[in-house]
Amino acid sequence: QVQLVESGGGSVQFGGSLRLSCAASGFRVDYYAVAWFRQAPGKQREGIGCISGVDGSTFLANSVKGRFTISRVDAENLVYLQMDNLILEDTAVYYCTTDHLRGCGVVSDVVRYDYRGPGTQVTVSP
C-alpha cells in the first residue's frame, strides 16, 4: 500500500534553510509523480511543487520559485524539498503527496491527490 512519511521540519530563522524528506513506500518515486503542498493555520492548502515520474522534471508554484527546489534519490525512494531564503509566510505544515499519476499537471491541483503523509511542521521566526 502507498505510504508517505515526511521528516526534516523544525524551527528556523528568517532567511534560513531547511530540507524536508519524503520517504515513499508502495510505489516507485521514479515512476509516479510526487508533490508537496502546505497548509498554514487558518488558510487553505497550497500546492508548492511536483517532480514528474516521467522524466524527473520539476514544477514549482510562483510563491516558492527561486527559493525551493524538489529532487529525488531513486535508489532510496526519497523525495526532497530544499527550502532556502525562508520567509515568515512559509510557516506551515508541509505534506508530500501522490496520486498514481506519472506526470504532474497543474501544481495547484496537487492538494487534491489521494495519498499524503502525516506532515511536518515548519516554523520561520523573525
Side-chain angles (χ1 to χ4, degrees):
Q1 84 223 42
V2 173
Q3 284 192 324
L4 300 161
V5 180
E6 305 89 346
S7 61
S11 297
V12 63
Q13 285 192 316
F14 179 92
S17 298
L18 279 175
R19 188 179 75 167
L20 306 184
S21 302
C22 174
S25 59
F27 73 101
R28 296 293 311 172
V29 300
D30 56 355
Y31 192 79
Y32 289 116
V34 176
W36 291 87
F37 71 89
R38 65 188 180 186
Q39 187 162 26
K43 295 189 176 180
Q44 292 186 332
R45 295 177 180 179
E46 177 191 11
I48 297 171
C50 181
I51 183 164
S52 171
V54 176
D55 58 6
S57 299
T58 59
F59 304 89
L60 292 164
N62 288 336
S63 60
V64 303
K65 201 171 291 183
R67 302 187 298 119
F68 291 11
T69 56
I70 299 176
S71 62
R72 70 185 191 211
V73 178
D74 296 345
E76 297 181 9
N77 222 33
L78 281 169
V79 175
Y80 294 109
L81 178 66
Q82 177 68 42
M83 307 185 295
D84 298 318
N85 297 317
L86 285 160
I87 61 177
L88 301 182
E89 291 77 11
D90 294 322
T91 294
V93 179
Y94 285 71
Y95 302 86
C96 62
T97 182
T98 192
D99 201 18
H100 283 162
L101 299 172
R102 296 214 64 210
C104 284
V106 178
V107 171
S108 59
D109 287 345
V110 308
V111 300
R112 290 193 282 270
Y113 284 3
D114 281 343
Y115 304 97
R116 64 177 174 89
T120 187
Q121 175 72 46
V122 171
T123 302
V124 183
S125 58

